[in-house]
């Protein structure tokens, strides 16, 4: 490219008709420009127009020079024909080739494109102006000058100017970035040392150079909170001196919410939290055991639950829970016994039995429960047996059934003081037994031809009329007579019945 630039500043070597050579070059450039497209069409158009005018002017001057030269030569021959010295030849320098011009144009376009893509946004940004307004102005001016040179056809100088602008931009951007990093490091160091004024100064400078930096914005927020943090640090120290653990914890939490990176304070907060947890746990265990001793179940449960919430796996908490459970069971048994006593006093032995059974399931070894359960079971069993006899009193006419009923009545005698209802029922059953034990006179009538018997009792024989005695109950009388069908009669003898009679006659021949 240096060779091309050097060659571009020299004129061509063609001796004949320089204007024609320039016009030819102009025509060649025009032909090239018709096919040129790229990054800067406006620059190309301006360059084409300027080049065309310049070459046309040079061609015109060349023609005039040639013509003038010929006239002067003729005049010289006329005036000084005696002189034999030839006129000096015109020095025509070598013109750049079409390929060289194209290369320079493309180099300029590439330089502009790279500048606009990589550098211009930073250069034109407000932070860059804050950083160095003079350099910002110089770079903008250099770019504009390069475009003017390009438009004027001075491609080599345009490329040089553009490259110098880009180099200056890179240097200043690098210096600006270094200043930003330096300010950030200084702000961070000052912040770590709790030096608010210095930290604020450096972070302000860093943000002026890179206002959109997330890291700078985050550090700025921390620095802005530093006065409050330092106030909390002081409050923490005062609380520690005064042995105000709760106050110290409160201030430490507020401080770490603003600045969570203070590891030493984190450790202190953790130690204090564990310390207070231990104290609270011990207090709940102590108070819970005291509540158990006072048989205050609600109080004990409150402290037990609180202790379990703090340290759920501690043996002290498990012991308190065990004692609380034992207290709750003991109190439950007491309530069951109280309800059972009330039921027994109200002669509600079936209800008392259920309550005592529940109490026995919790504390089967307690004598009071065992004795009460035994009494309740006896009374309820005897009561049920009496109900069965009284529900079918006719069965009491049978000796074995009556014997069983009498045994129940006899057994219940000792329990009468405990259950008036059982005593009344026993008396009722006793009366029924007495009724079924008293025989009733029954008059049996017949035709004196029929043999009569009472099934399960005995023979009546042939009779016109005979009185027999039967206990209350249901009987079957059977009559038999040779040559006649047998007959059966059912007789119900009620307790205390009077004037009971029945006729049994076989009068249907076979």
């Amino acid at each position: 490219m240096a060779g091309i630039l050097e060659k571009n500043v020299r004129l061509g070597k063609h001796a004949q008709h320089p204007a024609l050579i320039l016009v030819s070059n102009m025509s060649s450039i025009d032909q090239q420009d018709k096919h040129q497209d790229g990054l800067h069409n406006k620059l190309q158009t301006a360059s084409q127009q300027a080049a065309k005018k310049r070459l046309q002017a040079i061609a015109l001057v060349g023609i005039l020079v040639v013509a003038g030269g010929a006239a002067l030569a003729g005049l010289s021959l006329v005036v000084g024909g005696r002189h034999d010295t030839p006129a000096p030849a015109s020095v025509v320098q070598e013109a750049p080739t079409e390929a060289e011009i194209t290369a320079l144009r493309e180099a300029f376009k590439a330089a502009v494109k790279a500048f606009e893509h990589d550098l211009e946004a930073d250069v034109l940004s407000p932070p860059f102006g804050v950083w160095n307004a003079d350099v910002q102005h110089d770079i903008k001016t250099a770019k504009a000058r390069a475009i003017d040179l390009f438009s004027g056809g001075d491609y080599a100088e345009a490329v040089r100017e553009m490259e110098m602008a880009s180099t200056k931009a890179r240097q200043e951007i690098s210096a600006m970035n270094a200043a930003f990093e330096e300010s950030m490091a200084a702000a961070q160091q000052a912040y770590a040392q709790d030096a608010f004024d210095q930290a604020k100064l450096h972070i302000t400078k860093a943000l002026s150079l890179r206002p959109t930096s997330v890291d700078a914005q985050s550090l700025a927020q921390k620095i802005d909170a530093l006065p409050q943090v330092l106030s909390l640090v002081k409050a923490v120290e005062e609380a520690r001196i005064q042995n105000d653990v709760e106050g110290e914890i409160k201030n430490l939490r507020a401080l770490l919410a603003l600045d969570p990176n203070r590891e030493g304070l984190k450790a202190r907060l953790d130690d204090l939290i564990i310390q207070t947890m231990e104290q609270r746990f011990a207090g709940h265990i102590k108070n819970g055991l005291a509540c158990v001793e006072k048989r205050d179940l609600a109080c004990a449960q409150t402290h037990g639950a609180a202790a379990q919430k703090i340290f759920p796996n501690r043996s002290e908490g498990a012991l308190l829970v065990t004692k609380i459970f034992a207290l709750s069971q003991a109190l439950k048994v007491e309530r069951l016994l109280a309800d059972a006593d009330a039921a027994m006093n109200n002669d509600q032995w079936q209800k008392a039995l259920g309550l005592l059974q529940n109490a026995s399931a919790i504390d089967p070894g307690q004598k009071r429960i065992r004795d009460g359960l035994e009494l309740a079971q006896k009374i309820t069993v005897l009561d049920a047996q009496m109900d069965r006899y009284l529900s079918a009193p006719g069965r009491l006419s049978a000796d074995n059934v009556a014997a069983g009923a009498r045994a129940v009545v006899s057994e219940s005698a000792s329990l009468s003081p405990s259950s008036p209802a059982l005593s009344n029922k026993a008396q009722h059953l006793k009366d029924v037994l007495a009724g079924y034990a008293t025989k009733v006179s029954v008059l049996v009538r017949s035709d004196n031809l029929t043999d009569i018997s009472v099934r399960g009792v005995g023979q009546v024989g042939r009779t016109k009329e005979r009185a027999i005695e039967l206990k209350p109950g249901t009987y079957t009388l059977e009559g038999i007579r040779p040559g006649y069908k047998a007959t059966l009669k059912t007789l119900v003898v009620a307790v205390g019945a009077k004037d009971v009679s029945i006729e049994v006659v076989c009068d249907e021949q076979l």
Side-chain angles (χ1 to χ4, degrees):
M1 180 59 69
I4 295 173
L5 294 175
E6 180 181 356
K7 193 172 185 180
N8 187 62
V9 300
R10 299 198 304 268
L11 294 176
K13 293 189 292 184
H14 301 285
Q16 74 275 20
H17 304 296
L20 294 176
I21 293 171
L22 293 173
V23 170
S24 174
N25 287 339
M26 179 185 69
S27 175
S28 176
I29 292 171
D30 289 342
Q31 185 65 28
Q32 171 195 348
D33 289 341
K34 290 179 182 179
H35 301 287
Q36 185 67 39
D37 55 359
L39 178 66
H40 304 290
N41 291 329
K42 291 182 180 180
L43 294 178
Q44 290 175 344
T45 301
S47 175
Q48 290 168 5
Q49 292 173 351
K52 184 181 294 184
K53 291 178 180 178
R54 187 173 64 255
L55 292 176
Q56 287 173 349
I58 293 172
L60 179 59
V61 172
I63 293 171
L64 293 174
V65 170
V66 172
L72 289 174
L75 180 61
S76 176
L77 289 174
V78 173
V79 176
R82 291 177 298 176
H83 299 285
D84 297 330
T85 303
S90 299
V91 179
V92 181
Q93 295 180 342
E94 182 180 358
T97 66
E98 180 181 344
E100 291 170 341
I101 292 173
T102 300
L104 286 169
R105 290 166 59 84
E106 293 304 320
F108 179 79
K109 293 175 185 178
V112 172
K113 182 177 181 179
F115 177 83
E116 291 180 346
H117 182 271
D118 299 332
L119 305 171
E120 190 168 47
D122 289 336
V123 171
L124 297 180
S125 67
F128 192 94
V130 174
W131 163 250
N132 197 328
D134 292 339
V135 171
Q136 184 184 55
H137 177 266
D138 292 345
I139 294 172
K140 290 163 63 178
T141 302
K143 180 188 176 187
R145 187 164 53 248
I147 292 174
D148 288 342
L149 289 168
F150 183 84
S151 300
D154 196 347
Y155 304 130
E157 286 302 318
V159 171
R160 286 193 188 97
E161 193 72 28
M162 199 67 241
E163 288 179 347
M164 285 190 294
S166 297
T167 299
K168 186 64 174 175
R170 289 190 189 93
Q171 291 172 348
E172 288 301 318
I173 290 172
S174 177
M176 178 179 171
N177 289 337
F180 169 78
E181 295 298 337
E182 182 180 350
S183 296
M184 281 291 290
Q188 184 65 57
Q189 182 178 3
Y191 173 73
Q193 295 172 353
D194 292 337
F196 171 74
D197 292 337
Q198 290 296 316
K200 187 66 175 178
L201 177 65
H202 291 301
I203 196 61
T204 300
K205 181 177 180 181
L207 285 172
S208 73
L209 298 176
R210 198 178 295 174
T212 59
S213 169
V214 175
D215 291 339
Q217 291 172 355
S218 176
L219 181 56
Q221 290 178 350
K222 293 179 181 179
I223 292 172
D224 288 340
L226 190 55
Q228 186 178 358
V229 169
L230 296 179
S231 175
L232 287 169
V233 169
K234 182 178 179 181
V236 166
E237 291 301 324
E238 291 176 352
R240 183 181 302 183
I241 293 172
Q242 297 170 5
N243 198 26
D244 180 6
V245 176
E246 292 298 329
E248 187 176 354
I249 290 175
K250 177 184 176 182
N251 289 314
L252 280 172
R253 282 177 170 159
L255 193 158
L256 290 172
L258 293 174
D259 187 0
N261 295 322
R262 294 178 179 258
E263 297 298 331
L265 295 181
K266 276 185 180 179
R268 173 63 178 171
L269 176 60
D270 291 341
D271 291 342
L272 288 176
I273 289 174
I274 292 174
Q275 177 183 333
T276 56
M277 288 175 65
E278 290 286 359
Q279 292 174 348
R280 285 166 39 226
F281 179 78
H284 285 304
I285 295 297
K286 180 181 178 180
N287 292 332
L289 292 173
C291 292
V292 170
E293 291 297 322
K294 296 175 184 177
R295 299 175 65 79
D296 187 343
L297 180 61
C299 171
Q301 288 174 333
T302 298
H303 288 292
Q308 287 293 101
K309 188 175 182 179
I310 297 171
F311 292 126
N313 299 318
R314 289 282 184 90
S315 59
E316 301 96 320
L319 175 62
L320 178 57
V321 168
T322 300
K323 288 183 174 294
I324 291 172
F325 178 75
L327 174 61
S328 68
Q329 293 296 87
L331 294 176
K332 185 176 181 179
V333 168
E334 290 178 7
R335 289 193 301 272
L336 289 170
L337 289 175
D339 292 343
D341 287 343
M344 289 186 288
N345 290 334
N346 292 326
D347 213 0
Q348 297 174 317
W349 287 94
Q350 192 63 45
K351 179 180 179 180
L353 177 63
L355 293 169
L356 289 166
Q357 286 173 336
N358 291 337
S360 178
I362 297 172
D363 188 4
Q366 188 176 148
K367 185 176 184 303
R368 180 184 173 189
I369 297 174
R370 291 200 309 269
D371 292 346
L373 193 58
E374 181 180 0
L375 177 60
Q377 287 172 337
K378 286 182 178 180
I379 291 176
T380 53
V381 167
L382 291 172
D383 185 74
Q385 289 176 338
M386 290 182 187
D387 284 340
R388 284 196 297 272
Y389 286 124
L390 293 174
S391 64
R395 297 171 56 243
L396 295 174
S397 60
D399 292 338
N400 59 332
V401 175
R406 283 192 293 272
V408 169
V409 170
S410 175
E411 188 176 356
S412 68
S414 61
L415 303 176
S416 294
S418 299
S419 176
L422 182 67
S423 177
N424 293 336
K425 191 173 290 187
Q427 185 60 49
H428 178 53
L429 178 57
K430 189 175 181 181
D431 293 342
V432 172
L433 281 170
Y436 275 92
T438 302
K439 293 182 177 181
V440 176
S441 176
V442 177
L443 181 63
V444 180
R445 296 187 179 89
S446 184
D447 57 1
N448 205 29
L449 298 173
T450 301
D451 285 321
I452 302 169
S453 63
V454 180
R455 288 184 176 181
V457 177
Q459 292 292 327
V460 176
R462 294 178 184 178
T463 183
K464 281 282 188 180
E465 187 176 86
R466 179 177 297 176
I468 62 175
E469 289 186 342
L470 296 173
K471 294 180 180 180
T474 302
Y475 298 93
T476 299
L477 281 72
E478 182 180 15
I480 300 173
R481 179 180 177 186
Y484 289 84
K485 288 183 178 181
T487 185
L488 296 175
K489 296 284 187 175
T490 299
L491 175 64
V492 176
V493 179
V495 175
K498 302 294 184 180
D499 300 327
V500 178
S501 64
I502 186 171
E503 183 179 45
V504 181
V505 175
C506 294
D507 54 5
E508 184 177 355
Q509 292 183 347
L510 294 175

